């Protein structure tokens, strides 16, 4: 706890840059979905702040739903398999956009993607605020990427360290 309180961190992406990134993504999504009726699937908890800012700028008629991913504790060998909980929207035939905070190895998103594709959606795209291309171990497309970053551990703007720091309005890099 003391370590968390006295965390050594420095600004990585300030609020102004976040706002520019979010606006740019929203413009692309508005354009791509102008004749569609998309469903945005927000992955909690990390994406809550990004999703709130992004979705305020979405001007196409759309639905928003929230999910969580829980690891299966009973099957430790497949640590990447995540159970999808909270989905209460019928996604069959829908144009779905997943909103996630970050894709690192990509295994979490790969698991979610498979589960949503199995629901017979019409299309499925991914919007992420941060992407770590050097860590990515998968090969599915990510259409909307806010910013590509190397490998710092980041906190703030929804990103957490043991549940802390999600509320910070900017993104910070954690220093050793
Ligand atoms: P992946 O399965 O390796 O792509 O990991 C994705 C998840 O790891 C994200 O949804 C985050 O919850 C978490 N994560 C990855 N990198 C960071 C980071 O730099 N800060 C905070 N959380 C992170």
């Amino acid at each position: 706890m003391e370590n968390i309180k006295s965390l050594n961190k420095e600004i990585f992406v300030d609020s102004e840059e976040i706002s520019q990134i979010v606006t740019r993504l929203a413009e692309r999504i508005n354009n791509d979905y102008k004749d569609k009726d998309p469903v945005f699937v927000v992955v909690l908890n990390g994406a809550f702040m990004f999703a709130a800012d992004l979705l305020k700028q979405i001007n196409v008629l759309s639905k928003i739903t929230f999910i969580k991913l829980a690891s299966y504790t009973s099957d430790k060998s497949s640590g990447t398999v995540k159970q999808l909980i909270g989905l209460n929207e019928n996604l069959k035939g829908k144009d779905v956009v997943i909103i996630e905070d970050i894709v690192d190895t990509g295994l979490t998103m790969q698991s979610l993607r498979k589960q949503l594709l199995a629901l017979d959606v019409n299309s499925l795209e991914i919007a992420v605020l941060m992407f770590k291309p050097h860590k990515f171990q998968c090969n599915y497309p990510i259409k909307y990427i806010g910013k590509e970053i190397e490998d710092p551990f980041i906190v703030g703007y929804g990103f957490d360290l043991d549940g802390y720091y999600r509320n910070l309005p900017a993104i910070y890099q954690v220093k050793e």
Side-chain angles (χ1 to χ4, degrees), residues 123-149:
S123 68
L124 183 65
E125 300 294 352
I126 298 166
V128 286
L129 180 58
M130 297 281 157
F131 177 50
K132 294 181 176 173
H134 305 291
K135 302 275 296 295
F136 192 52
Q137 297 174 13
C138 305
N139 56 13
Y140 52 82
I142 304 178
K143 189 158 185 183
Y144 306 103
I145 295 174
K147 188 179 173 79
E148 293 194 357
I149 62 173

Side-chain angles (χ1 to χ4, degrees), residues 154-169:
I154 52 177
V155 296
Y157 198 73
F159 296 99
D160 75 305
L161 178 61
D162 283 348
Y164 292 96
Y165 295 114
R166 285 195 204 279
N167 58 309
L168 298 177

Side-chain angles (χ1 to χ4, degrees), residues 31-149:
N31 190 48
D32 293 350
Y33 287 84
K34 60 177 177 288
D35 301 319
K36 296 183 175 149
D37 173 17
V39 180
F40 294 100
V41 175
V42 180
V43 186
L44 297 174
N45 297 325
F48 83 101
M49 213 177 268
F50 169 47
D53 285 346
L54 180 73
L55 292 168
K56 276 185 271 185
Q57 297 192 51
I58 294 297
N59 58 23
V60 296
L61 188 68
S62 54
K63 287 189 176 184
I64 302 166
T65 191
F66 300 88
I67 58 161
K68 274 201 168 205
L69 295 171
S71 299
Y72 284 114
T73 44
S74 56
D75 183 6
K76 293 219 170 59
S77 62
S78 58
T80 61
V81 178
K82 304 271 175 112
Q83 185 187 6
L84 192 169
I85 51 178
L87 185 65
N88 53 18
E89 203 58 52
N90 183 0
L91 299 184
K92 189 172 162 60
K94 292 292 192 177
D95 294 307
V96 174
V97 182
I98 301 172
I99 301 181
E100 173 64 304
D101 56 357
I102 187 165
V103 168
D104 188 304
T105 63
L107 296 171
T108 305
M109 181 59 78
Q110 176 166 266
S111 165
L112 172 59
R113 212 178 150 263
K114 275 193 191 141
Q115 292 180 70
L116 294 186
L117 285 172
L119 299 177
D120 227 357
V121 299
N122 184 54
S123 68
L124 183 65
E125 300 294 352
I126 298 166
V128 286
L129 180 58
M130 297 281 157
F131 177 50
K132 294 181 176 173
H134 305 291
K135 302 275 296 295
F136 192 52
Q137 297 174 13
C138 305
N139 56 13
Y140 52 82
I142 304 178
K143 189 158 185 183
Y144 306 103
I145 295 174
K147 188 179 173 79
E148 293 194 357
I149 62 173

